[in-house]
Amino acid sequence: MLFFWVLFLFSMRSAVADSDDDLMSFVTLPELRALKFDVAYYDREAVDDGYWFVAPYGVIEPETPTKQWKPCQVGPYIYDADGGLVWAGSCMFDNRNIFDFKAVNNIDDQPHLSFILQHAYHDDGKDKGIGYILDQHYEPDNAVAVTNDLGAFNMHEFNVLDGGKTALACAYRSAYVDLGDLGRPDEHGWLTAGGFVELDTATGEVLFEWSTRGDIPIHESVKVHPDSPPSGEPGWDYVHVNSVDKNAAGDYLLSARFTNTLYLVSGEDGHIIWRLGGKFSDFVQDFTFSKQHHARFVESNATHTTVSFLNNASDELEQGEDTSAALYVQVDTSVSPMTARLLNRYNRPDGGLTRLRGSVQTLPNGNVFVGWSERGFQSEHSPDGKVLMQASFASTRFSTYRSYKFPFIGRPTTPPDVVASVYGTEEADLTTIFHVSWNGATDIATWKFYARVAADGLPVLIGNTTKFEFETLYIADGYLDWVSVEAVDKDGNVLGTSEVHRTRAPDNWLFAGFQGDIKPTPDDPSILFGKTTQAVEDVEDPVDEYSQAKEAAKAVYKAYEVIRGVGGLLIFISIICSVGGLLAGAYWYVRRRRMQAYLEVPSDEGHSMVQRS
Ligand SMILES: *[C@@H]1O[C@H](CO)[C@@H](O)[C@H](O)[C@H]1NC(C)=O
Ligand SMILES: *[C@@H]1O[C@H](CO)[C@@H](O)[C@H](O)[C@H]1NC(C)=O
Ligand SMILES: *[C@@H]1O[C@H](CO)[C@@H](O)[C@H](O)[C@H]1NC(C)=O
């Protein structure tokens, strides 16, 4: 009998959610589908503390206004180290592409977040995109707009510098130039120069701008050839700048993917101090690299500079080597010729190639956290190269430009979300099921559940439970109509309180399996729970009026703590069914849990398969 119900319920579930198993769904946030992570740890003890920061996107160019995806999916997300959701920002930013999403802990003593909201589809060119800095309440501190003549906030970089007054971004500019660099002085064509800007985060004003045009000749590019035919607008993307960083001396480290070169640019007069890699490297080096990403200063003094970057190396057209890797490289400018040597190399754990995007982050304990981009593949390595963890999206449909790991404290201004539903076959076995979540809140240890007899009644504590996952389930005896919850941290501090919600009841109690003659009336929680503030699962009173089914529900609730997850929930419902003969109730319940599939609102436009980044 039980086996039958389990089969029945699973078949019902696959009928509604077959193609969406890679996505999470929540009773409390039905407008959201979040990506699941597949996670493997090889040495859990050795990983650094922190949350994961990713921004999954499906198609890298902004989509036409006629093309919309629902429910919310694409955008900034924070996950815990088990791949459990902490914050979904996709609804906040209308499912638009977000890049370079990370925590910023160098502004003041409060944690912040930063990212780029990609420009909108260019039908009017007005929405050029924004560099955002949010506070820990997920409210914008700064919205750094494009204030100069450039058409868009470049998607590659939003690097908020210490103190938060300024930030770096890449900048692409088109120009009509002669092709003298290629030995064709009489020919002209369009060129997209790369470069970077240092922006005032309060005003968006450009404080410093540097362009490759003039300093990096066209023939330095590995993408433009001496006989390439001249290009129309926007022109040859000949350098493809993709990251910029600044050191304490005020100089800039620029990565250009299409010259295979890292450049140190003087913050004083803009001259190129050195080139590492590419056709005109200034160094004698004991390693090779190409098509690199996310170059960062790790350490520097007057003579030595250590940089990290993602490399080794390929793109959509070329493959320099077989395996991508995070590289740590030290250059010595005090010797002649200058030298560059490989300090450390962290190979991509699957031995594959990261073609278009990625990131390398040095964690506070010295570990290295690498984002390999496609499918959100990411790994954490010990300094000596051991792979400690690897994870990727369960979905094949999404990637993230970069992946980061940071400590973070999230304190949303919105209250926790609660959905409560009642079901039962008779007055004596009515049960209230709570689902509770709080998008963006970190440090919740326990949920406390309250009910009251009326909207203005006194709250009665009806129970508590450990927070399991993003959304926690709790089952209480009785028909509790006016309910609320409290989020409590491990020290017992209340982090937040929900609004008071009414419990959802079936429209038709008979169809939901209720066998009483008249529809049930809500219980008075002070009568049910007033005598004790003990947790519901601790109440043991086999001779009271509670039915056998109710006792079974409690037992199964305990089992649920072990099983967890939707699969476990369905097994739980099946057991309830077998105990109480409650098929209709279960059917009603599962129907309510039907989630919205992630669907494209149809349009005439085809998919853009071209991913340039
Ligand atoms: C890049 O990968 C190739 C092939 O795996 C290897 O021979 C080379 O040493 C690597 N370069 C670096 C800098 O790690
Ligand atoms: C600069 O850094 C290098 C490498 O860490 C070190 O060997 C050197 O002594 C440092 N120089 C100074 C002046 O501190
Ligand atoms: C729930 O409350 C009881 C009684 O106050 C307490 O002993 C128990 O530790 C609490 N459980 C959780 C998970 O906080």
Side-chain angles (χ1 to χ4, degrees):
M1 157 92 165
L2 177 60
F3 180 69
F4 169 76
W5 293 132
V6 170
L7 270 188
F8 171 77
L9 286 161
F10 271 96
S11 62
M12 206 156 66
R13 175 166 171 262
S14 30
V16 294
D18 218 10
S19 59
D20 283 352
D21 281 355
D22 50 356
L23 304 173
M24 303 176 189
S25 66
F26 306 103
V27 173
T28 46
L29 297 175
E31 69 280 13
L32 174 74
R33 302 298 309 272
L35 272 69
K36 290 180 189 165
F37 263 104
D38 293 327
V39 188
Y41 276 94
Y42 307 104
D43 187 348
R44 183 83 196 225
E45 295 299 302
V47 300
D48 207 351
D49 292 335
Y51 297 97
W52 300 339
F53 294 77
V54 294
Y57 67 86
V59 179
I60 204 153
E61 298 291 346
E63 296 192 273
T64 63
T66 55
K67 192 168 190 172
Q68 288 179 350
W69 294 84
K70 293 206 183 288
C72 308
Q73 173 65 80
V74 158
Y77 284 79
I78 305 174
Y79 289 85
D80 67 21
D82 294 306
L85 184 63
V86 173
W87 182 60
S90 46
C91 292
M92 183 169 170
F93 295 98
D94 292 334
N95 249 332
R96 277 172 62 179
N97 281 355
I98 299 285
F99 298 111
D100 203 19
F101 173 52
K102 57 180 171 288
V104 186
N105 293 321
N106 64 350
I107 294 182
D108 49 32
D109 53 4
Q110 301 294 312
H112 293 75
L113 300 165
S114 73
F115 56 89
I116 299 160
L117 173 70
Q118 189 181 33
H119 63 85
Y121 182 79
H122 272 302
D123 44 359
D124 59 9
K126 280 195 198 110
D127 187 339
K128 297 177 171 188
I130 286 176
Y132 269 109
I133 301 173
L134 306 187
D135 63 20
Q136 69 178 134
H137 312 295
Y138 303 96
E139 311 241 310
D141 259 359
N142 298 84
V144 186
V146 178
T147 57
N148 61 8
D149 56 314
L150 290 179
F153 203 108
N154 187 270
M155 61 166 279
H156 293 93
E157 184 83 79
F158 183 51
N159 186 352
V160 178
L161 299 177
D162 288 350
K165 296 265 182 279
T166 68
L168 302 175
C170 296
Y172 285 35
R173 253 178 207 289
S174 288
Y176 190 65
V177 299
D178 73 71
L179 307 185
D181 276 350
L182 299 178
R184 294 147 63 186
D186 300 332
E187 280 183 77
H188 289 76
W190 284 89
L191 187 72
T192 300
F196 62 89
V197 286
E198 184 163 346
L199 301 164
D200 183 321
T201 52
T203 63
E205 189 193 344
V206 176
L207 304 174
F208 185 87
E209 176 164 2
W210 187 87
S211 169
T212 59
R213 203 182 143 210
D215 285 288
I216 300 181
I218 304 172
H219 63 260
E220 195 164 328
S221 175
V222 297
K223 286 287 172 185
V224 178
H225 304 290
D227 53 357
S228 297
S231 171
E233 276 189 277
W236 290 325
D237 179 14
Y238 84 115
V239 283
H240 201 90
V241 161
N242 62 8
S243 78
V244 56
D245 196 16
K246 190 177 186 180
N247 65 8
D251 298 323
Y252 300 92
L253 179 69
L254 185 71
S255 162
R257 189 153 72 90
F258 291 170
T259 60
N260 296 334
T261 304
L262 301 180
Y263 302 86
L264 186 70
V265 175
S266 164
E268 222 160 80
D269 62 8
H271 83 279
I272 294 176
I273 300 171
W274 50 246
R275 285 169 163 83
L276 174 62
K279 292 180 183 171
F280 305 110
S281 184
D282 292 314
F283 296 91
V284 175
Q285 55 192 72
D286 63 355
F287 59 94
T288 60
F289 70 90
S290 63
K291 313 295 176 357
Q292 73 287 344
H293 290 274
H294 197 225
R296 284 292 181 267
F297 288 111
V298 179
E299 258 178 351
S300 53
N301 63 23
T303 56
H304 291 72
T305 298
T306 303
V307 298
S308 64
F309 54 96
L310 185 81
N311 186 46
N312 207 359
S314 64
D315 63 16
E316 56 275 61
L317 300 175
E318 292 165 36
Q319 177 168 331
E321 335 231 17
D322 297 330
T323 307
S324 295
L327 301 185
Y328 282 69
V329 163
Q330 188 179 65
V331 302
D332 180 355
T333 54
S334 68
V335 291
S336 183
M338 301 192 294
T339 58
R341 67 188 182 97
L342 187 65
L343 297 181
N344 276 307
R345 167 172 146 196
Y346 304 91
N347 278 345
R348 195 173 137 129
D350 65 357
L353 284 165
T354 291
R355 294 180 184 282
L356 292 172
R357 301 158 293 264
S359 53
V360 181
Q361 182 190 359
T362 312
L363 299 180
N365 75 350
N367 284 356
V368 177
F369 193 79
V370 190
W372 309 99
S373 180
E374 214 177 319
R375 284 192 66 181
F377 187 35
Q378 58 185 28
S379 55
E380 184 167 339
H381 306 249
S382 65
D384 63 3
K386 196 173 155 212
V387 179
L388 306 173
M389 180 282 306
Q390 63 175 22
S392 59
F393 298 146
S395 177
T396 55
R397 293 170 286 170
F398 299 88
S399 294
T400 181
Y401 182 76
R402 292 174 176 171
S403 300
Y404 294 97
K405 185 175 190 180
F406 286 101
F408 184 67
I409 298 168
R411 295 281 177 266
T413 52
T414 51
D417 291 296
V418 191
V419 173
S421 314
V422 60
Y423 79 96
T425 53
E426 50 190 287
E427 285 278 356
D429 70 8
L430 289 170
T431 302
T432 303
I433 299 183
F434 291 79
H435 287 90
V436 57
S437 69
W438 195 7
N439 193 18
T442 57
D443 310 299
I444 306 168
T446 306
W447 286 109
K448 283 184 164 179
F449 298 85
Y450 294 87
R452 52 195 88 200
V453 72
D456 56 357
L458 285 175
V460 177
L461 179 65
I462 58 163
N464 61 2
T465 187
T466 306
K467 179 199 180 238
F468 293 139
E469 291 174 354
F470 181 78
E471 184 170 80
T472 299
L473 175 106
Y474 184 74
I475 298 172
D477 290 332
Y479 178 178
L480 306 169
D481 195 9
W482 300 88
V483 298
S484 60
V485 300
E486 252 174 22
V488 180
D489 72 11
K490 65 175 176 23
D491 301 319
N493 302 308
V494 176
L495 298 172
T497 304
S498 74
E499 289 164 4
V500 178
H501 295 262
R502 297 207 71 170
T503 292
R504 296 176 184 173
D507 296 333
N508 186 321
W509 279 91
L510 187 62
F511 287 173
F514 189 70
Q515 286 154 18
D517 294 335
I518 50 165
K519 76 176 194 184
T521 50
D523 289 310
D524 179 343
S526 62
I527 295 173
L528 271 187
F529 299 94
K531 284 167 285 180
T532 172
T533 53
Q534 237 178 316
V536 170
E537 64 265 39
D538 296 337
V539 177
E540 294 292 354
D541 189 1
V543 292
D544 72 6
E545 79 271 30
Y546 296 145
S547 71
Q548 192 193 0
K550 264 186 159 174
E551 291 306 321
K554 283 183 216 160
V556 172
Y557 171 63
K558 282 182 183 161
Y560 174 77
E561 287 187 333
V562 180
I563 302 165
R564 301 187 196 167
V566 171
L569 181 62
L570 289 168
I571 291 167
F572 152 74
I573 291 168
S574 311
I575 296 170
I576 292 288
C577 287
S578 67
V579 171
L582 238 177
L583 173 62
Y587 177 70
W588 169 78
Y589 184 74
V590 171
R591 264 188 52 207
R592 296 180 49 92
R593 266 199 67 93
R594 276 192 189 190
M595 40 207 160
Q596 246 181 304
Y598 183 53
L599 289 176
E600 184 195 330
V601 177
S603 85
D604 300 335
E605 308 282 332
H607 265 279
S608 164
M609 295 309 295
V610 187
Q611 300 211 342
R612 299 171 68 233
S613 66

